Amino acid sequence: MEILVCGGAGYIGSHMVRLLAEQGHVVVTFDNLSTGHAEAVQWGEVVVGDVLDAAAVDAVLSRRNFDAVLHFAARSLVGESVSLPYDYYRSNVAGSLMLVSAMQRHGVEKLIFSSSAAVFGSSAVPIVDENQPLLPINPYGRSKLMVEQMLADAAEAYGLRSVCLRYFNAAGASRDARIGESHACETHLIPNVLRSMLGAAAPLQVFGDDYATPDGTCIRDYVHVEDLADAHLRALHFLEQAPGAHAFNLGNGQGFSVRQVIDAASRVVGRPVPYQVAPRRSGDPEILVASSRKAREVLGWDARWTELDGIIESAWRWHRAQPW
Ligand code: UFG
């Protein structure tokens, strides 16, 4: 297939580009490099441009007869979305609208969209399946939900085929440490743990240890970035015979607390994690774990990286190789 990957220079997008290229697909990355990294795209062609630039999107879609678009390009910091909501609605909602409108002009009828566990907000149940209410609690989550709703309308009106993949906590790096997670402003737990161990950041702050969980810290579902890429590939094949708009939750189905992550990182690295307990971070749900049953039944997908130590070890190998 010929695939356009918007946001292919980002963390999850670059793993996707690699998998597509390794599977023999023709892949073109379209990325404005605002948060992505040109050096992360080591497979296929790269076109620098913004999804908000209609002429640039038209130009890239004219290059080939694309079979599908994978849309990773987005702003993705929950806290930042609260202070800069216009930026989030512009990049994530208006950007997606520009992209799907251009796809329609170019006759591209399949889209895989990067959604998020954030569409569920603070779920009332610890294990979240697709039937849980969609009640995002910040502009980031709302921007993702708006696009999901737009895609459902587009399926009805225009026959656009789409899959929304709701990532829980994307984690890890490629097994050969060639690509990994690097954000200028890092908010995620595992990179922050590893950066603090490398001395590339201040000691880790544990946001709250008084939650109603076994060790008092929040529980999350860490799903390996290579497993996420694999889910996209399966979703792509699924769309060949499935009209309509679909959504799947993607996690490895197990929850790990912040303390368990810290313990696993010290096992992997072989020394203690420097950390201090800080106040709770506002908007953090206590427990968020995916039910990926639908993805298993419909896409035949299962997370292969299920061990926390293995996920962290892959991230550590990549982090260690960076010139922080
Ligand atoms: N945490 C710390 N210290 C840090 C960073 C995180 O204690 O330095 C804690 C958080 O409070 C939370 C857990 O580690 O309890 C995980 O936090 P992350 O920031 O790594 O991830 P989130 O669960 O907040 O975010 C994830 C996705 C988002 C998505 C969100 C939806 O990364 O894209 O889930 O709830 F929006």
Side-chain angles (χ1 to χ4, degrees):
M1 284 191 264
E2 298 189 322
I3 312 289
L4 179 66
V5 181
C6 298
Y11 171 41
I12 307 172
S14 58
H15 287 80
M16 187 71 235
V17 166
R18 177 182 193 169
L19 181 62
L20 287 167
E22 286 175 353
Q23 296 281 321
H25 300 289
V26 173
V27 52
V28 176
T29 290
F30 183 70
D31 199 302
N32 67 5
L33 300 181
S34 62
T35 54
H37 309 276
E39 64 274 16
V41 192
Q42 302 170 30
W43 302 267
E45 196 186 339
V46 187
V47 176
V48 178
D50 198 302
V51 284
L52 286 162
D53 178 347
V57 177
D58 270 325
V60 76
L61 282 168
S62 303
R63 290 171 94 99
R64 293 185 171 274
N65 282 322
F66 289 108
D67 297 286
V69 173
L70 274 59
H71 182 28
F72 296 89
R75 300 184 71 137
S76 63
L77 300 177
V78 171
E80 186 184 63
S81 78
V82 176
S83 43
L84 300 173
Y86 285 172
D87 291 19
Y88 274 69
Y89 291 119
R90 187 180 303 113
S91 296
N92 297 3
V93 182
S96 299
L97 173 59
M98 299 290 276
L99 179 62
V100 288
S101 313
M103 286 171 61
Q104 188 181 36
R105 288 194 294 279
H106 290 263
V108 184
E109 288 169 349
K110 297 189 207 86
L111 176 76
I112 316 273
F113 173 66
S114 298
S115 189
S116 167
V119 297
F120 293 107
S122 298
S123 170
V125 297
I127 310 283
V128 183
D129 68 17
E130 290 77 2
N131 299 317
Q132 289 306 308
L134 299 168
L135 298 168
I137 54 172
N138 48 58
Y140 170 67
R142 279 189 280 276
S143 74
K144 291 290 176 180
L145 180 56
M146 285 176 193
V147 178
E148 289 202 7
Q149 291 167 331
M150 178 172 76
L151 296 179
D153 290 339
E156 194 72 29
Y158 311 124
L160 178 73
R161 297 180 177 209
S162 64
V163 168
C164 296
L165 295 176
R166 299 170 181 151
Y167 317 143
F168 279 58
N169 289 64
S174 68
R175 65 191 65 223
D176 60 2
R178 265 175 87 174
I179 43 176
E181 183 171 14
S182 172
H183 298 115
C185 167
E186 190 52 79
T187 63
H188 291 125
L189 177 64
I190 293 176
N192 278 349
V193 167
L194 300 179
R195 286 183 186 203
S196 72
M197 295 180 96
L198 283 162
L204 177 78
Q205 293 202 305
V206 171
F207 297 133
D209 66 351
D210 56 352
Y211 287 95
T213 58
D215 65 21
T217 62
C218 289
I219 293 177
R220 293 289 181 278
D221 182 333
Y222 297 92
V223 55
H224 197 275
V225 63
E226 289 185 346
D227 281 330
L228 291 179
D230 174 47
H232 287 73
L233 198 60
R234 289 168 189 269
L236 209 47
H237 293 305
F238 166 73
L239 276 188
E240 285 176 48
Q241 31 78 30
H246 310 266
F248 298 92
N249 295 354
L250 298 179
N252 80 34
Q254 293 177 74
F256 295 103
S257 71
V258 173
R259 274 195 205 283
Q260 285 176 304
V261 169
I262 290 173
D263 290 346
S266 29
R267 274 195 302 276
V268 166
V269 177
R271 56 176 189 269
V273 177
Y275 75 89
Q276 61 206 31
V277 176
R280 291 182 177 198
R281 188 171 69 177
S282 86
D284 273 344
E286 200 157 74
I287 304 181
L288 209 52
V289 177
S291 161
S292 302
R293 187 170 158 193
K294 183 178 172 194
R296 184 160 51 248
E297 290 177 357
V298 178
L299 303 178
W301 177 82
D302 242 327
R304 282 171 294 187
W305 292 76
T306 51
E307 300 293 324
L308 184 59
D309 288 34
I311 293 173
I312 292 178
E313 197 194 348
S314 75
W316 172 242
R317 274 190 269 114
W318 188 82
H319 270 79
R320 214 175 33 183
Q322 302 313 304
W324 296 104

